[in-house]
Amino acid sequence: MNFQLTDEQAGLRRLVRDFVDKEIKPIAAHTDESGEFPWDTLRKLGGLGLLGLNIPEAYGGAGADHLSAAILIEEIGRGCGSTGLIVAAHLGLACGPLNAFGNEAQKQRFLEPLASGRAIGCLALTEPGAGSDLAGGVRTFAELRGGEWVINGSKMWLTNGAEAETAILLCRTDRTGGSRSLSQIIAPTNTPGITFGKPERKMGLNGSHTYAVSLEDVRVPAENLLGEEGCGLQQTLEVLDGGRIGIGALSVGLAQAAYEAAMSYAQERITFGAPLTRHQAIQFKIADMATQIDAARLLVWRAAWLRDQGQPYTLEAAQAKLFATEMAEKVCYEAIQIHGGYGYSRDYPVERIYRDNRLMAIGEGTSEIQRLVIARRVLGL
Amino acid sequence: MNIVVCVKQTPDTAELPKISVAEVTSGDIKTTLVLNPWDEFAVEEGLQLQDRFGGDVTVVTVGEEKATEALKDAIARGVQSAVLLSDPAFAGSDAWGTATILAAAIKKNGPVDVVLAGKQSVDGNSGLVAPGLARKLGATLLTNVTKIVDVAGGKITVERQLEEGRETLTASLPAVVSVSKEINDPRYPTFMGIRKASKAQIPVWSLADLDVSAGSVGQTAALAQWTDLRKPAARSSQVVLVKEATVEATAAKLADLLMAEKVI
């Protein structure tokens, strides 16, 4: 057992921390309030080799391990939830499946531009009638006609949607249904028939745009099938296992940011003649926050480490996501509590972090789905 | 063109207030240590000179083994080679002793055209190493440089920041150039740079490797000694809220107060 980061991981962490403190954190409030997509930041992250961090060098990435990707997302999340989510979705949901299931030609054509940071990607799973129930709910159909997939349907909650160059669509390719009736198909987002709505109006994460998209006679070549026909559900679940590590890491970063803000406020704010940190009621909150953040980070790192070792990590990724996202909810709540009235004010960062974190217990598998995954594994059901 | 950048590992500026007198006296500083922020500009300028005029950039530092981290930071930004100058005999060197060690290493490294350094370190703050180095190398000294205009025909043309304004001057090479923060915008390390740095084997030169006598460096040779060290008292500040009946009256009152404090 070794809890020491490698030189490379520690160097990455220093780099991202420094970058986040100088370039991301100072504009996080603006990103949230204006809802501007942080293109400048993403271009800079791409230039540093971070938008393909855990993708092989042969496809434009940096060839780092998944633990490094978790560190990257945590550190970005510490500065800005919106930017963190954009990167987590890009790496985990777009680059991830292209790398895992793409053939050589697909990787060169679709993965390389994403991993080298020239463009971003997205994954389209959810539909008006299909969220947690993908197997039964997906009504976007793809039919093979004359060497082309013709796709019709609609998708919702696409993180990065209209800003993405490449989308991976989960489509039903067998109308008879069943667990082997879904397939993943790659579609450039400028393909005729793909129409994005306006970005959704959300509680938080306003710099990360979320879209509904309609698909009308969208035609892409047959070779855009990603992985195996009929294996779309299994592939998606595998992608989500990886994505959950990213969302867990993002929540750890958000919690860390709320904790740091609360710590610095508690050291300065005087009540009853002493800084807040001298009052036991506040000390206990800070002790709990520090402990919970550490516990969540270790769960996230364990899941990433297992993945790096090529071992099964479905259970551990679900545990990490469940614990980290719900932990961050509590930590943000207490961070606001420590700030008192100021915590509820937009002049302080903790209310933004609280709003940003709320999605984490919903996206890429709700807490309820995580509990289902965990229960099935531990009970052997 | 051969470029050498002299750097120092210092505490992170944000953590300077946390450091105790005892840590400074013992040399066992427990806060995060980084590449001296002023030296980031020197490293960046070395890389930019290389881009403009070609040649090699070598980064050197005097310190214990952990100072390798500062060299690795420079490698992660794109510097090709680095040397750590480390020996128990070097401990406690003052600026002149440090300049003696650096000059010997630069001579050993080979012919040099431009030696770059940050204008000072954020911990010692003396700004004396670059002048000492120029003296030891017999090179031209150019301090507070805000722009390197050209390097050609054995000459270097630079802009310097003076209290009265800016001057442009041309001087002979080799030159020791200490840079200020206006000179450039340091790049971040890249991830591939970090990977290269994490694998880099950095040579260590000790006293025996350099043409330096043991008596000319270290604590005993130091011309300046720290006889007392104390933290400055924390500055107290006071908040005054100015609120008069009208905006004009508030502004007038505020202006009066600022003038009384000689702020404007």
Side-chain angles (χ1 to χ4, degrees), chain A residues 29-362:
Chain A
H30 173 79
T31 302
D32 176 61
E33 276 167 31
S34 67
E36 286 169 19
F37 195 81
W39 275 120
D40 272 356
T41 306
L42 292 167
R43 270 188 276 270
K44 288 178 190 168
L45 286 167
L48 298 176
L50 300 174
L51 290 185
L53 186 65
N54 54 341
I55 299 301
E57 290 179 48
Y59 307 116
D65 53 17
H66 298 295
L67 182 53
S68 295
I71 291 169
L72 169 71
I73 293 166
E74 178 191 330
E75 292 300 332
I76 297 177
R78 196 177 57 81
C80 171
S82 293
T83 312
L85 185 65
I86 293 166
V87 175
H90 166 80
L91 277 180
L93 304 185
C95 294
L98 287 169
N99 186 47
F101 311 115
N103 57 37
E104 186 61 27
Q106 288 170 338
K107 286 182 185 179
Q108 292 297 350
R109 176 160 171 220
F110 297 110
L111 178 57
E112 196 277 335
L114 302 189
S116 61
R118 295 201 303 278
I120 59 168
C122 76
L123 179 68
L125 303 177
T126 311
E127 296 184 10
S132 297
D133 176 22
L134 290 174
V138 169
R139 297 178 54 80
T140 293
F141 291 97
E143 283 177 284
L144 207 48
R145 275 190 236 151
E148 286 182 327
W149 291 105
V150 182
I151 305 163
N152 282 285
S154 62
K155 293 283 178 186
M156 290 181 77
W157 306 122
L158 273 73
T159 302
N160 297 347
E163 280 79 16
E165 183 178 275
T166 302
I168 299 161
L169 311 173
L170 182 67
C171 306
R172 198 167 298 278
T173 45
D174 179 352
R175 285 184 183 269
T176 57
S179 65
R180 297 189 70 84
S181 62
L182 298 172
S183 304
Q184 290 182 324
I185 297 173
I186 308 166
T189 54
N190 61 2
T191 310
I194 298 185
T195 313
F196 290 99
K198 285 185 184 164
E200 301 290 344
R201 295 168 65 231
K202 297 178 297 184
M203 174 178 175
L205 298 165
N206 294 314
S208 156
H209 298 176
T210 312
Y211 295 89
V213 63
S214 71
L215 308 161
E216 282 179 71
D217 284 332
V218 176
R219 291 166 185 272
V220 297
E223 70 247 28
N224 280 22
L225 175 73
L226 181 64
E228 273 185 63
E229 187 174 344
C231 289
L233 182 65
Q234 293 72 15
Q235 289 176 197
T236 298
L237 294 178
E238 204 178 314
V239 167
L240 289 175
D241 282 345
R244 282 165 190 165
I245 299 175
I247 298 299
L250 185 48
S251 267
V252 173
L254 288 165
Q256 180 72 30
Y259 165 76
E260 286 173 12
M263 280 272 276
S264 99
Y265 182 81
Q267 280 161 350
E268 286 167 15
R269 168 75 171 169
I270 309 288
T271 57
F272 306 104
L276 284 180
T277 47
R278 297 276 181 83
H279 304 309
Q280 202 176 50
I282 301 298
Q283 290 173 1
F284 280 13
K285 286 187 196 298
I286 288 174
D288 285 343
M289 291 159 91
T291 307
Q292 289 174 16
I293 292 170
D294 259 0
R297 184 179 291 119
L298 289 173
L299 283 177
V300 168
W301 285 8
R302 178 184 64 167
W305 180 85
L306 283 168
R307 190 177 183 198
D308 284 327
Q309 305 307 308
Q311 293 181 34
Y313 64 98
T314 301
L315 167 66
E316 291 79 4
Q319 288 176 322
K321 182 187 187 271
L322 174 66
F323 187 81
T325 57
E326 296 195 348
M327 170 285 294
E329 170 84 15
K330 281 183 252 169
V331 166
C332 291
Y333 177 95
E334 293 294 7
I336 292 176
Q337 208 64 19
I338 289 170
H339 279 76
Y342 291 118
Y344 198 63
S345 153
R346 294 225 164 164
D347 294 336
Y348 285 78
V350 282
E351 65 82 31
R352 180 186 80 241
I353 303 168
Y354 193 40
R355 287 186 285 111
D356 283 355
N357 185 68
R358 189 62 187 85
L359 175 74
M360 304 307 152
I362 301 169

Side-chain angles (χ1 to χ4, degrees), chain A residues 7-8 11-12 14-15 18-19 22-23 48 50 53 57 62-64, chain B residues 32-34 40 69 72-73 77 188-192 194-195 198-199:
Chain A
D7 278 0
E8 189 178 292
L12 170 78
R14 267 199 307 277
L15 160 66
D18 192 30
F19 181 85
K22 287 183 189 149
E23 313 266 353
L48 298 176
L50 300 174
L53 186 65
E57 290 179 48
Chain B
T32 312
L33 296 172
V34 297
E40 287 185 29
E69 290 301 318
K72 288 192 169 183
D73 187 327
R77 291 166 202 256
Y188 289 98
T190 63
F191 179 74
M192 296 314 262
I194 288 169
R195 171 169 294 162
S198 70
K199 290 178 183 159

